[in-house]
Amino acid sequence: MRRNLVDHNNYRNLLLCFISRPAVQVTLISISIGIILISFLSIDSSTQNLIAHDEGLYARRAKLIIENNNWFNPFNEPHHKTVGSYWVTAFAYKFIGINEVSLRFPSLIFSILSLGMVFLIGKEVSSSLVGGLSSFLLLCMPLWIQYSRYVSPDMPFVFFSLLFLFSVIKTQIVVNQSENIFFWSIAGLSISIGFFLRSYMALLPLLSILPYFIVCIYKDGYKAFLSFIISFLIGLTPSIYSLFLSYEKFGIASLSILFDFAKNKSLSGTSLKGFYIVPLKILFFTYPASIVYFLISLSQRKFIIKSKFTYVLYYYPLFMLLILCFMSHNYSHYLLLLLPSFAITISHTLCSYYKSSNPLLKRYIVIYLTTISLFILMISSLFLVNAINFDNINKNVIYLIIISLFLSHFFSLLYMRITSRENSSYLFLILSFIMLPNYICINLLYNNGMMGNPNKDLKRFISNQAIRSFLISEDIGLYKISSKSETLLNYYLPNVKRVNSIEELNLKNYFITTNITFAESFLEANPKFYLIYKYKNNYFIGINYN
């Protein structure tokens, strides 16, 4: 047994040496970026549409910035977010294009940059192996895949939050004072840019790391503190300027609405439900890495492994988790900032137990793989006998996904039953077997419009060639229409406006409604109104004044 442990330890050292080579790192990073870009660019654009409300609102407000040529105060009333929330989307709108794929492209770019930052953070707090594994785990997490193709400032915000964390870590590693001041300056700049992008959400990483941050900046002296504050104020310049313009236009309401919105989302009412909803969401959105971490910790009876960067590895994500649990709203994108740290923690724990022998963990992994394999078999059986039926889907894609998921779990289980390894090194192979098919399957679902495509009916309705010219050229009213449909139509169509009464409706030549009962009864009772086109519950109606 001793010889086997020595052999595996040598194997781990050889692997670390191999991964530490710059040429190997560049090659692996290039391959990873290529895979990510191919998976994104292989999207069937005809199946894509913006998700209301979030994507539709970000796209519409970014469009407003471009139309008004006003990047700092484009709104006609006090706005509840910093204008930087829309800058990334506005840049994509202006320089790339206005379709769904181009508007989501910036999120993909910042996702790739964030994966690079995760590698660097993992490398600094542990090793190159931990950094590479962290990036791989993060890349395959369902929530990360979703927001890597989402029209929002979330991915840019995550990147600058990671840059802030990396800079603080580097201040404790570098020995040259000029380098130390440089990284404190980057830390201050990053957190203020984060505020410009997501307003008060920038406090989340700062509060989570605050004890460690105070110790580090006190240790490095007043020059470090001064460089942090100066760069922080420089980074706040666009936020201060936009708020000043808004204050001049709308008064104190422009400042109070920003604070009230943050207060409503975080402090309007706290209940205990966050303490089970948030962990359950994390368990689901980070599957299967979260399950493997839980099983490792359960089998070892130890959730924290001491290290020089114990705070960064364990207490930083723990404090962030507690803050999220206390918040009054538990939106999924709030958890996005937690995923990189969680991936690094899992990777560090996994590599720490690489050479340890743990029969209990092996038993847990076998039980987990058996359960999931049986669950996939049950779902596939129900699908095959049409007990589960989905409309407008590519069934071949579903069959491919079911088969690949089952085979990945089955072969992982088979490997666990026949392997003679006494240490935990098999976990690397198991994670690869499971997570790669997960990544491929989720991308297939998104690329073919089976996920992230909730408004396909509305998109098909406005894309119909018979009415497209009317929708583009005419002034269209929106009457008795859902707020989500209104958000999307305000982005997709150039001249639409909500009307609230029949009197206002009579001033229009055309209008759209999504209220079936109203549309059918109104058309029957009023001869001057005639149906031009209908698709499901979307009605395009004309008004004849002759």
Side-chain angles (χ1 to χ4, degrees), residues 267-280:
L267 302 172
S268 61
T270 303
S271 65
L272 293 177
K273 69 177 184 179
F275 287 90
Y276 65 85
I277 288 178
V278 172
L280 284 174

Side-chain angles (χ1 to χ4, degrees), residues 46-62:
S46 65
T47 65
Q48 305 298 303
N49 60 70
L50 298 180
I51 298 173
H53 286 284
D54 283 358
E55 285 194 303
L57 288 173
Y58 283 118
R60 190 181 77 183
R61 290 164 184 165

Side-chain angles (χ1 to χ4, degrees), residues 405-444:
L405 288 177
F406 174 75
L407 290 178
S408 66
H409 286 81
F410 176 76
F411 281 117
S412 298
L413 178 61
L414 188 63
Y415 174 77
M416 289 292 297
R417 300 296 297 178
I418 64 175
T419 185
S420 59
R421 294 186 182 184
E422 297 180 0
N423 61 20
S424 303
S425 58
Y426 57 80
L427 286 174
F428 289 93
L429 196 58
I430 295 299
L431 277 171
S432 299
F433 276 167
I434 297 173
M435 298 199 74
L436 275 176
N438 270 15
Y439 175 78
I440 293 169
C441 292
I442 293 173
N443 274 282
L444 276 173

